[in-house]
């Protein structure tokens, strides 16, 4: 936790939050108002984080339309909680990312859907004929908190960090002035998704294999890839 709240790490986290912008959470605070708030309150927040007593605020519920129809539910954390989450991410990501599969492209630094598509195209050009498109439907809505925390505890010894991640998972969602508790899923989709690389639709590669009828002798390439199309509120 000391590394997460160190001045250099917090300055880097603030820079990232400022660049991402995003809508206010339930407290209405904007990114532009954050510096003045931190000057007055950061010392107390930092003390709570180091003591393991900090409690995140619920996220703001927002529905956005999906390209294929329907709506996707997103949670917008307060800008202060986005700052703290970013600070945690910068410390934890170097621990977890090297352990992920080389075929995983979702929610990883320096990787994007275009990289996955280029790699798939290379396989096609090398003579392989199948691309398997895997999508774990509503994955972040159904993440089991106990399972996730068990995985994190294998790599993180600091109980304060584990307790804080758990509180973020269980912070709840505010909708129309009412806070709803969550016992599964990641309402904000910010902290846990960095540690659970998943996959999404890869429609851009289907045109390269359209019309090809796979056979039993056709080599198969399975790739995990994800396009981050919904960063509006990060």
């Amino acid at each position: 936790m000391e590394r997460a709240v160190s001045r250099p790490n917090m300055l880097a986290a603030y820079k990232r939050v400022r660049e991402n912008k995003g809508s206010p959470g339930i407290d209405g605070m904007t990114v532009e108002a954050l510096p003045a708030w931190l000057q007055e309150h950061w010392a107390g927040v930092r003390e709570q984080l180091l003591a393991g007593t900090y409690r995140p605020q619920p996220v703001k519920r927002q529905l956005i339309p999906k390209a294929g129809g329907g709506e996707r539910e997103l949670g917008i954390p307060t800008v202060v909680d986005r700052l703290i989450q970013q600070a945690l991410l910068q410390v934890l990501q170097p621990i977890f990312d090297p352990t992920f599969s080389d075929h995983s492209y979702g929610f990883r630094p320096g990787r994007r859907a275009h990289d996955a598509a280029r790699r798939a195209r290379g396989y096609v050009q090398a003579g392989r004929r199948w691309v398997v498109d895997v999508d774990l439907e509503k994955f972040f809505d159904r993440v089991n908190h106990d399972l996730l925390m068990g995985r994190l505890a294998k790599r993180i010894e600091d109980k304060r960090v584990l307790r804080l991640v758990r509180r973020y998972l269980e912070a709840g969602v505010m909708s129309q002035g009412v806070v709803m508790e969550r016992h599964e899923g990641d309402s904000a989709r910010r902290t846990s998704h960095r540690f659970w690389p998943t996959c999404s639709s890869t429609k851009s590669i289907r045109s390269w294999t359209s019309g090809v009828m796979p056979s039993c002798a056709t080599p198969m390439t399975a790739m995990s890839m994800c396009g981050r199309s919904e960063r509006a509120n990060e």
Side-chain angles (χ1 to χ4, degrees):
M1 184 63 76
E2 281 76 10
R3 290 173 55 194
V5 300
S6 67
R7 181 175 177 79
N9 191 60
M10 292 305 306
L11 288 174
Y14 169 72
K15 180 180 179 181
R16 185 63 181 272
V17 169
R18 184 181 59 189
E19 292 172 348
N20 288 341
K21 299 181 180 180
S23 303
I26 63 171
D27 60 357
M29 186 189 303
T30 63
V31 174
E32 291 74 19
L34 181 59
W37 190 93
L38 291 174
Q39 286 185 351
E40 182 176 355
H41 300 285
W42 172 244
V45 173
R46 184 178 185 275
E47 183 177 342
Q48 292 177 39
L49 290 169
L50 291 174
T53 59
Y54 178 81
R55 291 190 175 276
Q57 296 191 62
V59 301
K60 180 181 178 181
R61 182 173 181 260
Q62 179 168 311
L63 299 176
I64 63 172
K66 298 172 64 174
E71 294 180 317
R72 183 184 303 278
E73 179 180 334
L74 293 182
I76 306 176
T78 65
V79 66
V80 174
D81 282 324
R82 294 208 298 269
L83 176 67
I84 296 171
Q85 290 178 9
Q86 180 63 37
L88 281 175
L89 171 64
Q90 292 168 178
V91 172
L92 299 181
Q93 194 167 56
I95 298 174
F96 286 89
D97 191 74
T99 68
F100 294 157
S101 168
D102 184 52
H103 299 290
S104 173
Y105 288 82
F107 304 107
R108 299 185 63 185
R111 292 182 174 224
R112 55 179 184 162
H114 291 88
D115 299 322
R118 276 193 290 269
R119 188 164 184 179
R121 181 170 57 187
Y123 285 133
V124 172
Q125 293 172 343
R128 302 187 182 228
R129 307 296 294 278
W130 286 17
V131 174
V132 179
D133 177 10
V134 183
D135 186 1
L136 302 181
E137 183 179 4
K138 296 184 178 180
F139 176 81
F140 290 112
D141 296 333
R142 299 169 178 167
V143 171
N144 182 286
H145 292 174
D146 292 334
L147 182 59
L148 172 58
M149 294 308 303
R151 295 291 182 87
L152 295 181
K154 293 180 179 179
R155 297 293 183 90
I156 303 173
E157 296 182 356
D158 193 328
K159 302 299 183 182
R160 297 167 299 179
V161 173
L162 294 172
R163 190 180 304 120
L164 182 58
V165 173
R166 167 75 80 165
R167 286 174 178 170
Y168 272 119
L169 291 171
E170 299 177 347
V173 179
M174 177 171 285
S175 178
Q176 298 180 346
V178 178
V179 177
M180 298 173 288
E181 295 184 355
R182 291 188 69 95
H183 301 287
E184 67 175 2
D186 178 9
S187 56
R189 302 187 183 203
R190 287 188 54 81
T191 307
S192 70
H193 69 208
R194 269 68 175 204
F195 312 125
W196 288 84
T198 183
C199 45
S200 183
S201 174
T202 54
K203 298 177 182 177
S204 59
I205 64 177
R206 289 176 181 160
S207 60
W208 303 328
T209 57
S210 60
V212 175
M213 297 298 294
S215 67
C216 295
T218 304
M220 181 175 72
T221 300
M223 301 185 67
S224 172
M225 52 192 78
C226 180
R228 299 189 61 182
S229 60
E230 297 161 0
R231 299 187 59 185
N233 298 304
E234 293 199 6

